[in-house]
Amino acid sequence: QVHLVESGGGLVQAGGSLRLSCVASGILFSTKAMGWYRQAPGKQRELVAAITSDGSTNYADSVTGRVTISRDNGKKTVHLQMNTLKPEDTAVYYCNRGRSSTALPGDYWGQGTQVTVSS
């Protein structure tokens, strides 16, 4: 059984920081790309950041320079460090395991963690 469990969301003031974590269990992790997506009310889910199995990263234009994705293959964990948060970053953030070493999204999603940024 595949499990992706996110944590680290919460309420923060604009300009603040949060670190999201996603722990995988029961699945291959180190050989797959991982991604963080977000979905705000009334909007489509969008890719925020991705990391390939070899550690190459990619970011949405809206978060470049403010967000860092990282992975720890030994702990089957992917992190999303978010700094200088803005109210428009408010969304539910989801972790996704890619379908290959580079391609996203895959079939497996976490349950999501709410991030709310107050102005």
Side-chain angles (χ1 to χ4, degrees):
Q1 191 173 5
V2 175
H3 292 287
L4 292 172
V5 180
E6 302 100 334
S7 62
L11 173 64
V12 64
Q13 289 188 331
S17 298
L18 283 174
R19 188 188 194 216
L20 307 184
S21 297
C22 171
V23 179
S25 63
I27 59 170
L28 291 174
F29 181 85
S30 64
T31 59
K32 304 292 187 181
M34 295 296 298
W36 282 98
Y37 290 74
R38 68 185 180 188
Q39 188 167 18
K43 295 188 177 181
Q44 290 188 333
R45 192 170 295 188
E46 63 175 355
L47 179 64
V48 176
I51 186 166
T52 65
S53 62
D54 68 358
S56 297
T57 58
N58 188 42
Y59 299 96
D61 290 343
S62 59
V63 303
T64 296
R66 301 188 295 118
V67 165
T68 302
I69 187 171
S70 62
R71 64 190 298 160
D72 182 336
N73 289 335
K75 295 182 179 180
K76 288 190 170 183
T77 301
V78 60
H79 299 288
L80 188 70
Q81 177 67 45
M82 302 190 294
N83 301 321
T84 320
L85 283 161
K86 304 176 180 180
E88 50 264 43
D89 294 318
T90 295
V92 179
Y93 284 71
Y94 298 91
C95 174
N96 177 265
R97 193 200 74 166
R99 56 187 185 271
S100 74
S101 62
T102 58
L104 287 164
D107 291 338
Y108 302 112
W109 296 88
Q111 82 287 352
T113 186
Q114 176 71 48
V115 171
T116 303
V117 184
S118 63
S119 57

